[in-house]
Amino acid sequence: GNWLLFLTIILVIRVAHGCPEKCLCYPVSKTADCKNRGLIEIPTHLPPEIQILQLQNNRIWKISQNSFTGTPLLKILDLSNNSISSLAPGAFQKLKYLQVLNLTGNLIHFIENKTFSFLPHLKELDLSSNSIIRLPETLGNSTGNITLLSVKHNKLQRMDRVLLELLPNLKVVLFKDNPWQCNCNVFGLKLWLESFLYRG
């Protein structure tokens, strides 16, 4: 009797504060910890004020355009080590304050043109350890503030120079462990890298 009442009270408190059952929410740090929970989709009913969302080490396979409409203030989003194979166009467009996006260790093969549009504060984009075979000409509108781009451990054979030139604030680029084709297609990347190194 008393135990059931206690559980009911806890459940009511969780719902009142907008924290999903499989997550832990910390109001002071504005963090939702949903990692290692066996989730297959982005949880709903998250507190709208959270700024850090930890979703790593789950089985999430899909991100839709509406996945983050309820959490517009996110600054850090960690989706590493999931099963995401594709990203819907505009999947992140509601996150205009996002600064760090970690998509390491998923199953992504393609990045569509302008996938990361409307993220004016994005500084770090980590696409490491996927199966990406090509990148688009542009990551998206308003992505010029990116300072770190990691595409290491993928299946890239080439990269358009245009994409990199649209990221004027890049400080760190991680390219290693890709099967780059050393032919005329890589010449633009070579020229960009020389310019990048020359700028220090």
Side-chain angles (χ1 to χ4, degrees), residues 176-192:
K176 72 176 184 178
D177 291 326
N178 279 283
W180 300 108
Q181 277 191 348
C182 293
N183 57 25
C184 294
N185 290 328
V186 84
F187 190 63
L189 176 58
K190 175 183 179 292
L191 293 176
W192 182 87

Side-chain angles (χ1 to χ4, degrees), residues 133-149:
I133 60 175
R134 67 172 175 82
L135 289 170
E137 284 191 359
T138 172
L139 294 174
N141 302 325
S142 308
T143 53
N145 285 318
I146 292 177
T147 59
L148 181 148
L149 174 64

Side-chain angles (χ1 to χ4, degrees), residues 35-55:
K35 61 180 180 285
N36 302 301
R37 308 286 172 166
L39 298 171
I40 60 171
E41 58 184 18
I42 308 295
T44 55
H45 307 299
L46 286 161
E49 67 275 8
I50 64 166
Q51 296 181 7
I52 301 171
L53 178 54
Q54 299 173 328
L55 289 165

Side-chain angles (χ1 to χ4, degrees), residues 9 13 64 71-72 82-84 97 111 120 122 125 136-137 153 162 165 171 178 180 185 189:
I9 291 171
I13 290 172
S64 69
T71 52
N82 276 281
S83 303
I84 300 164
Y97 299 107
I111 301 290
L122 188 63
L125 177 59
E137 284 191 359
H153 306 298
V162 175
E165 287 178 340
K171 301 288 188 294
N178 279 283
W180 300 108
N185 290 328
L189 176 58

